[in-house]
Amino acid sequence: MGKAGFGKSTPKIRPAKRLILGFGEHFAQTEGDQQSQIQFLVARRTDLNESLLEALPAAFEALASDKTSEERHKLALLAAVLGGVIYHLQSGDRGLNLELSIKSYQQALKAIRPTSYPHEWADIQNNLGLAYRERIRGDRAENLEHAISAYKLALEVRTREAFPQDWAMIQDNLGGGYLKRIRGDRAESLEHAISAYKLALEVRTRETFPQDWATTQGNLGAAYISRIRGDRAENLEYAINAYQLALQVLTCEACPKDWAGLQNNLGAAYASRIRGDKAENLEHAISAYKLALEVRTRETFSQDWATTQGNLGAAYSNRIRGDRAENLEQAITIYQRTLQVHTREAFPQDWATTQGNLGAAYSDRIRGDRAENLEQAISAYQLALQIHTRQTFPEDWARLQHNLGNAYRERIHGGRDQNLKLAIDYYNHSAQIFTRAAYPYKWANNQGHLAEAFIQIASIQATTNEKLYHLNKAIDLLQAALTVSVLGSPDFIDSQYRLGNALSRRYEHSQNSKDLEQALKAYKIALDAISPEHYNRQKIWQALPATQTILGHRLVREGQWQEGLQLLLNSVHQLNNSDDQLAHANALFQTGRAHETLADLHNARVYYRDALRLYTHLDYLPGIANSQAELGQALLLQGHASSGLGMLAKARDSYQQLNKPDKVAEMERVCADMKQTLSEQNLLTLEVLA
């Protein structure tokens, strides 16, 4: 025991020694039968605890004392075997199991030196690399550096010339370390991963080592999915091809577990695929995930089951075919089911990923209360950030920051001004990781959403200077994003659409004709970039009628009446059965304005009334107020005095709720002028329009 007052006392090592000796006896009887050794530890899983982790070094040292060099070597080999068996345990606390595995390997390396036992030393280094690569505790970035270092040390002994098969195996493992690496340049790390996998395939050919060849093909596919350099669409095609090659060998009958893993990864590639029809690709992804789940059941492979469930949830969240609202409900249910296995205690990283995905599903959710859904989304994102910190998981952290920006930009609870300022902060945080140099497309997407927040905050500013400041910021951000966005991509179309909005709103304050010209140009570019095959893509499909609505409204105001009206009618038709009811209401309202401009008061009144009904259904007060005001004036112009005055009075009350005193005064002035006119002409009647 340590002396009182001088640090911690020596841990009790008797239970640890008992476990080691018991495992040694079992190992001597079952050498080579790892499954039997795993069962031995499963039966003693209560002994695999924090006390054992603390006691292992002292226990091994006590057992090695007074032993011969050969006996110490055998004990070190036993430590290495124990580390390997614990590494493969599926039950218990995975984080603790990996700590025990690492501690055992480190203990083995104290006696097994590269000068005396180079090949055993290299094997333990390789296995230590595997444990560090998956380690949950400690700093994630540091763990991966340890893993890469261990693989490189192993390769100093297991050379291609002397041990080609082992060399190829370690190259494959090294590729996995670089694939997950956090430190250093991400793009460069992925190139190292691809290079390592390709080197492994020079030895692991289909003819000589078909199963190893297939495994490395699958890993190469994972690297191509993540690759930053090169053409993104081409990289995804490489990934799909690699997975399909691997599936030719790793069949469900021969290797069900590996086959299921490949089906899971193939689903991920199809979910991200750029080429081909997006809706069809997502159906392929869902099918692949469901195939994987035929093997990855909760009972047999609970962790893998949860991983694939999470991926399936993401596919349903993005699904185009089927009912959008139902797809999102499916996604939420799947994520909640996944969290029963991916708990924070057992699988903190997976738990955080699922929380982030659940937040995204709630953010998009159609059913239920919109305000409450957004609060659920924000809560899930904040939970995920407890694990996905900037230091340990910078990419995930940046993605969550971006998603929080989206949620706060749309948030209903709380002050609008404060929510938008928070959204801007979150987008700026995301941009610290998703830089233009390292993640150009994610950077452009983030710039576009940041610009949208500036456009929205401009609309609630008190002074013209404040409005112009935020609109100028938005325009600068969008013009920068468009230098990166791929022509015709969703981000390109969204940025052009937002640029049109920002320029159009700036024109309202600047009255600079160039702003209007550039706004119309941006809208037309967005419209022209949407080709028919994109109509099934939810975001772009909605962008088409929304863009037509704004462009049509602008064309009518600028005197191109027929062309503008046709665009508005197109948008009304296309939005009639869409999920975006607010965009539909806006299209109805703007079409009413176009008819009023053309002096077609009958159709103007019809569209204003339809817009009012939909805005009322959505409880969207700004739309209600504007529709009441325009409908009231249209009724007055048609001679329906009482109905018109009644509608204008409702508009005044709505504007009072919105705290818009200038609009309240305008409604009161119009009503007073009309009442004065009617009084003078003795024309005030009590007719009510049916």
Side-chain angles (χ1 to χ4, degrees):
M1 297 294 289
K3 294 180 180 179
F6 291 87
K8 296 181 179 178
S9 62
T10 304
K12 294 178 181 179
I13 63 173
R14 190 173 298 168
K17 288 170 66 176
R18 208 166 35 235
L19 179 71
I20 294 167
L21 292 171
F23 180 79
E25 290 176 9
H26 186 79
F27 173 74
Q29 297 167 7
T30 63
E31 187 171 355
D33 187 356
Q34 189 182 71
Q35 195 56 44
S36 175
Q37 294 155 18
I38 288 173
Q39 290 306 315
F40 175 87
L41 290 180
V42 168
R44 292 156 181 78
R45 57 183 173 272
T46 55
D47 294 331
L48 304 181
N49 51 38
E50 296 292 340
S51 295
L52 177 64
L53 179 62
E54 186 181 2
L56 265 182
F60 273 112
E61 287 170 13
L63 289 169
S65 65
D66 302 325
K67 295 293 190 296
T68 66
S69 175
E70 184 179 349
E71 287 172 331
R72 286 197 297 273
H73 175 240
K74 287 182 179 179
L75 186 62
L77 285 177
L78 182 65
V81 172
L82 178 63
V85 175
I86 295 175
Y87 171 82
H88 285 100
L89 282 178
Q90 291 289 318
S91 59
D93 182 336
R94 181 62 176 162
L96 174 61
N97 289 346
L98 288 167
E99 293 303 303
L100 289 167
S101 179
I102 290 168
K103 193 78 77 174
S104 297
Y105 288 140
Q106 288 171 336
Q107 197 62 37
L109 288 169
K110 289 182 179 180
I112 297 174
R113 309 302 299 170
T115 51
S116 306
Y117 305 98
H119 304 309
E120 293 170 354
W121 176 84
D123 291 342
I124 296 170
Q125 288 290 356
N126 174 68
N127 293 340
L128 181 62
L130 292 174
Y132 267 119
R133 199 174 76 189
E134 293 187 26
R135 192 184 189 199
I136 295 168
R137 298 183 184 179
D139 179 73
R140 176 68 174 157
E142 184 68 23
N143 289 336
L144 289 167
E145 295 305 306
H146 282 309
I148 291 168
S149 177
Y151 295 139
K152 288 181 176 180
L153 287 171
L155 286 168
E156 292 177 7
V157 174
R158 296 295 189 187
T159 63
R160 179 171 182 171
E161 294 72 27
F163 303 94
Q165 194 172 350
D166 291 338
W167 174 85
M169 175 193 67
I170 299 169
Q171 287 289 355
D172 183 87
N173 291 339
L174 179 62
Y178 275 117
L179 179 62
K180 297 181 178 182
R181 193 184 192 197
I182 294 168
R183 292 186 183 166
D185 179 71
R186 176 67 175 155
E188 185 66 25
S189 293
L190 289 167
E191 294 306 303
H192 282 310
I194 291 169
S195 177
Y197 290 138
K198 287 182 175 179
L199 284 172
L201 288 169
E202 292 178 9
V203 172
R204 291 182 155 188
T205 65
R206 182 168 183 174
E207 293 71 31
T208 54
F209 303 104
Q211 194 161 339
D212 291 336
W213 170 84
T215 298
T216 302
Q217 286 287 357
N219 293 338
L220 181 61
Y224 271 116
I225 279 184
S226 301
R227 194 185 190 198
I228 295 168
R229 294 181 185 170
D231 178 72
R232 176 67 176 154
E234 186 69 22
N235 288 335
L236 288 166
E237 296 305 304
Y238 283 137
I240 290 169
N241 181 62
Y243 290 138
Q244 290 172 336
L245 285 172
L247 284 166
Q248 293 174 13
V249 173
L250 298 175
T251 63
C252 186
E253 296 73 25
C255 309
K257 191 173 187 294
D258 293 330
W259 174 85
L262 286 167
Q263 290 289 354
N264 174 77
N265 294 345
L266 181 62
Y270 271 116
S272 302
R273 194 184 190 198
I274 295 169
R275 294 182 184 170
D277 180 74
K278 182 66 174 174
E280 185 66 24
N281 288 336
L282 284 167
E283 296 306 304
H284 281 309
I286 290 169
S287 295
Y289 292 140
K290 287 182 176 179
L291 285 172
L293 288 168
E294 292 177 7
V295 173
R296 292 181 156 190
T297 65
R298 183 169 180 177
E299 295 70 31
T300 53
F301 302 105
S302 59
Q303 187 179 357
D304 293 337
W305 171 85
T307 297
T308 302
Q309 286 284 353
N311 292 340
L312 181 62
Y316 271 111
S317 197
N318 295 320
R319 194 184 189 197
I320 293 164
R321 294 184 183 170
D323 179 71
R324 174 69 176 154
E326 180 59 30
N327 287 336
L328 287 167
E329 295 305 304
Q330 285 264 35
I332 290 168
T333 300
I334 290 168
Y335 290 140
Q336 290 171 336
R337 190 186 304 146
T338 303
L339 288 168
Q340 295 171 11
V341 171
H342 279 166
T343 63
R344 178 170 180 172
E345 295 71 30
F347 304 102
Q349 296 166 223
D350 295 321
W351 173 83
T353 297
T354 305
Q355 288 289 356
N357 290 340
L358 181 61
Y362 270 117
S363 185
D364 292 338
R365 194 184 190 197
I366 295 166
R367 295 180 186 169
D369 179 71
R370 177 63 178 159
E372 184 57 33
N373 287 337
L374 287 168
E375 294 307 303
Q376 292 270 26
I378 290 168
S379 176
Y381 292 144
Q382 296 286 11
L383 285 172
L385 282 170
Q386 293 175 10
I387 303 298
H388 284 163
T389 65
R390 179 172 179 172
Q391 292 72 30
T392 53
F393 300 95
E395 258 192 87
D396 294 314
W397 177 84
R399 189 179 300 109
L400 287 165
Q401 295 292 326
H402 178 89
N403 289 345
L404 274 167
N406 290 341
Y408 272 102
R409 199 185 76 224
E410 298 180 17
R411 194 183 189 207
I412 295 166
H413 291 330
R416 184 70 178 145
D417 183 67
Q418 183 62 26
N419 285 337
L420 287 169
K421 287 178 180 176
L422 283 169
I424 289 167
D425 287 342
Y426 282 120
Y427 289 136
N428 283 328
H429 292 161
S430 181
Q432 293 170 12
I433 301 298
F434 289 153
T435 62
R436 180 171 183 161
Y439 302 90
Y441 303 126
K442 290 178 181 178
W443 173 82
N445 178 261
N446 193 65
Q447 294 287 98
H449 285 141
L450 177 58
E452 180 65 29
F454 276 118
I455 292 170
Q456 290 182 18
I457 206 168
S459 67
I460 59 174
Q461 295 302 303
T463 69
T464 298
N465 284 340
E466 289 174 323
K467 291 178 187 294
L468 287 172
Y469 169 79
H470 288 98
L471 289 171
N472 288 337
K473 290 279 290 185
I475 290 165
D476 289 343
L477 289 165
L478 290 164
Q479 288 172 336
L482 284 166
T483 64
V484 170
S485 300
V486 178
L487 181 67
S489 70
D491 286 338
F492 173 84
I493 294 164
D494 285 347
S495 291
Q496 288 288 359
Y497 170 63
R498 292 180 179 124
L499 181 59
N501 285 350
L503 288 164
S504 176
R505 295 185 187 188
R506 191 168 76 176
Y507 167 73
E508 293 173 1
H509 302 288
S510 70
Q511 293 301 303
N512 185 334
S513 61
K514 287 185 178 179
D515 280 345
L516 184 58
E517 290 171 11
Q518 290 176 356
L520 293 176
K521 181 181 178 182
Y523 284 135
K524 286 178 180 176
I525 290 172
L527 196 60
D528 292 342
I530 306 172
S531 54
E533 64 266 22
H534 289 144
Y535 284 2
N536 285 331
R537 300 187 186 183
Q538 186 203 7
K539 281 182 67 178
I540 303 178
W541 188 89
Q542 290 180 357
L544 172 66
T547 303
Q548 286 181 325
T549 298
I550 295 173
L551 181 56
H553 167 60
R554 284 294 173 193
L555 289 174
V556 169
R557 283 181 59 176
E558 296 306 306
Q560 300 179 53
W561 299 320
Q562 294 305 324
E563 184 182 352
L565 180 60
Q566 189 57 54
L567 285 172
L568 288 164
L569 292 171
N570 288 345
S571 69
V572 168
H573 174 72
Q574 289 161 353
L575 285 162
N576 188 45
N577 295 314
S578 82
D579 296 327
D580 196 343
Q581 292 183 299
L582 182 57
H584 185 203
N586 291 338
L588 289 167
F589 178 79
Q590 295 299 345
T591 306
R593 274 191 166 176
H595 280 295
E596 185 175 355
T597 302
L598 294 169
D600 183 353
L601 293 175
H602 172 74
N603 275 317
R605 196 180 75 214
V606 169
Y607 279 100
Y608 285 143
R609 193 175 292 280
D610 286 346
L612 177 58
R613 286 173 181 150
L614 190 48
Y615 283 133
T616 302
H617 171 71
L618 296 170
D619 195 26
Y620 184 66
L621 193 55
I624 292 170
N626 291 334
S627 297
Q628 288 169 333
E630 296 297 336
L631 179 58
Q633 294 187 71
L635 287 166
L636 290 178
L637 289 170
Q638 285 190 297
H640 304 292
S642 295
S643 298
L645 288 169
M647 191 58 67
L648 289 174
K650 290 180 180 179
R652 176 201 60 207
D653 294 343
S654 296
Y655 283 130
Q656 280 179 333
Q657 291 183 56
L658 289 168
N659 194 26
K660 290 194 172 184
D662 54 334
K663 299 297 289 185
V664 171
E666 181 185 340
M667 295 301 100
E668 290 176 343
R669 185 175 63 255
V670 171
C671 287
D673 290 347
M674 179 54 66
K675 287 177 180 178
Q676 179 65 29
T677 300
L678 293 172
S679 176
E680 290 173 357
Q681 298 178 4
N682 197 27
L683 292 176
L684 185 59
T685 61
L686 297 176
E687 85 280 6
V688 177
L689 186 68

